[in-house]
Amino acid sequence: MLKSFSWPDFLLAASVFSLFWFLVIGLLFYRKEVFGLLSGSKADAEPLPHSWQNEVEEFEDSSPDDLMGKSVLDEGVALVSAEDFSFVDKDEQLGLLADVQEEVKSICSILEKEDGGKEYFLSLFALVKSKYPAVASSPALSAINAFIREHVPFFLSDDELDSLWV
């Protein structure tokens, strides 16, 4: 049956069916544009002005919140500033560990300048202990003891580190 069709017949049939297909799609979905094109009238809509033209309106007074209003937080949610948010006591978090570490650094620099030993360190450290009595019960005590062990120029045993704060 297919042997009776020639290539020119096939191409003619494919062209007719394609033309019919585009005509149906054009009439269904682009009816206004097709009738406007056939009647020769131009589209009613003018192109939008560009930013370099003078007709563009500037919206200087409006802010993004004016369109829909301000957002509302969910129930039970509150905005908190970074200064008001913490998991530990504010004094402990902000200053205790850093202040004691600075004091230990200054003691170690004094020891280097004056070639001081363990006894000299213990006498200088008594001032730090009296200045920061809260360190003895602080959860940061182990971190401070590790810092002291790293920075002093001599060996301190665990018993000596524990006796520093007693």
Side-chain angles (χ1 to χ4, degrees), residues 18-30:
S18 297
L19 184 64
F20 177 72
W21 174 258
F22 285 115
L23 184 66
V24 169
I25 295 297
L27 289 176
L28 284 178
F29 294 107
Y30 301 102

Side-chain angles (χ1 to χ4, degrees), residues 4 9 11 17 27 50 61 68 80 88 112 147 155 166:
S4 64
D9 293 337
L11 292 176
F17 285 131
L27 289 176
H50 296 286
D61 298 341
M68 293 177 42
V80 179
V88 256
E112 282 184 29
F147 183 81
F155 177 74
V166 179

